[in-house]
Amino acid sequence: MKITAISIFPEYFQPLGLSLIGKAQRDKLVEIDLVNLRDFAEGVHKSVDDTPYGGGAGMVMRPDIWGDAIDHVARTSEATVIDLVILSPSGKRLHQEDAKRFAHSEHIVFACGRYEGIDARVGEHYRKDARFRVQSISIGDYVLNGGEVAALVIMEAVIRLIPGVLGNPESLAEESHNDEGYLEYPVFTKPVQWRGESVPEVLLSGNHAEIDRWRRENSQIPSSPDRSGE
Ligand code: JAH
């Protein structure tokens, strides 16, 4: 799989050299390319943004510069289909099912905007191009300073699903076991006594039927945070 991130801050993606994703790249399970949007800007200031039509605060990223950058990535891609992901606080919320779909992608291109976002014509333009599947995606209802951190989150969610990336595929099997509902239960390890607190006896029993039942009974379906006190 190929992944490209287009950003004015490619340094944001340095953590991808670490840990599981660093190993996946060295093992050639994924190739991550960084494209500096600034390389497609012109003039002495190499400006990538301008004032919004209709007025208002902040700046909007220019469609011509984004178009040149995305065209360059497409020209140099061997993929038949390119998943163009535009990170946006108003995008469609990412779920595990989306990560599973992306794990089968030939080439994902993350368009990481800054300022007040990318001119809306960029998404519309590539939606008309049959080689592109364009998706505007959000990782949650909060505003970041740009799409880079959201792209990192999606990359981690997707890359860990590529066959061979996880050392222990049992953890993946267990996730799909619990599919959708995402049943999570409390977990414990040594020491058996810690600051006066002990581990539930059933987990020390070796009775796996009883352990499964305890875990089912103590599972929580993840929900939104409790905002009833607001
Ligand atoms: C903010 C460009 N849902 C996460 C998310 C994604 C992108 C952005 N904010 C939040 C963002 C400013 C400019 C993108």
Side-chain angles (χ1 to χ4, degrees), residues 129-180:
D129 185 331
R131 193 175 175 212
F132 286 84
R133 284 188 302 225
V134 180
Q135 290 148 97
S136 181
I137 293 183
S138 162
I139 60 162
D141 291 338
Y142 36 82
V143 180
L144 303 173
N145 288 330
E148 286 80 2
V149 169
L152 281 171
V153 167
I154 300 173
M155 287 185 205
E156 177 156 321
V158 170
I159 292 169
R160 64 185 294 285
L161 298 177
I162 299 172
V165 169
L166 280 198
N168 174 10
E170 268 180 37
S171 11
L172 261 188
E174 200 156 301
E175 282 172 7
S176 53
H177 225 231
N178 300 333
D179 245 347
E180 277 14 81

